[in-house]
Amino acid sequence: MSEECGYEDNDCLQCKNLIEDVSLLGNGMCNHKNNIPECGYDFGDCTECNKRGDCYKVDYPNCELDKPEFLRDGLCHGGDYNTKECGYDGGDCIDFNNDYPKC
């Protein structure tokens, strides 16, 4: 991991402490949990989709949203976000859906 980080300022250690699976870093696919500045946006795997604003398409290819930045933001949004195609707002709505299954 150090080589990818350039051995600078404990940046590898900082990244490693923020993510769950370091084996997914720089594997050629954008992993949303690793798409953070501290990990070089998944060691560059997320650079292009970040430019386009469609990294969520990696996990939810059939999800169409006007404001994809709301997906996986920690808040449950209804409508098009809370659908199977969008992973129930990237998981943000799972608790709500379990608590209120008839909504």
Side-chain angles (χ1 to χ4, degrees):
M1 211 169 122
S2 296
E3 185 176 4
E4 290 89 352
C5 295
Y7 304 99
E8 301 168 349
D9 303 320
N10 293 321
D11 53 354
C12 292
L13 182 60
Q14 184 179 12
C15 172
K16 183 179 177 182
N17 289 334
L18 294 172
I19 62 172
E20 296 173 14
D21 188 352
V22 296
S23 71
L24 297 175
L25 285 168
N27 67 351
M29 293 191 62
C30 177
N31 179 285
H32 82 274
K33 292 182 179 181
N34 299 346
N35 188 14
I36 57 176
E38 296 85 355
C39 293
Y41 302 101
D42 197 0
F43 284 166
D45 288 346
C46 299
T47 302
E48 291 303 314
C49 67
N50 279 331
K51 287 179 186 176
R52 293 188 309 268
D54 65 356
C55 288
Y56 70 97
K57 290 285 192 179
V58 173
D59 296 322
Y60 310 108
N62 297 317
C63 179
E64 297 295 331
L65 299 171
D66 291 330
K67 295 184 178 182
E69 63 272 16
F70 290 165
L71 189 72
R72 295 190 287 233
D73 67 352
L75 301 172
C76 176
H77 303 279
D80 292 339
Y81 296 87
N82 192 9
T83 62
K84 182 178 180 179
E85 293 78 20
C86 294
Y88 305 102
D89 198 0
D92 290 344
C93 293
I94 291 174
D95 288 341
F96 176 84
N97 291 341
N98 287 335
D99 291 343
Y100 305 98
K102 296 183 180 184
C103 277

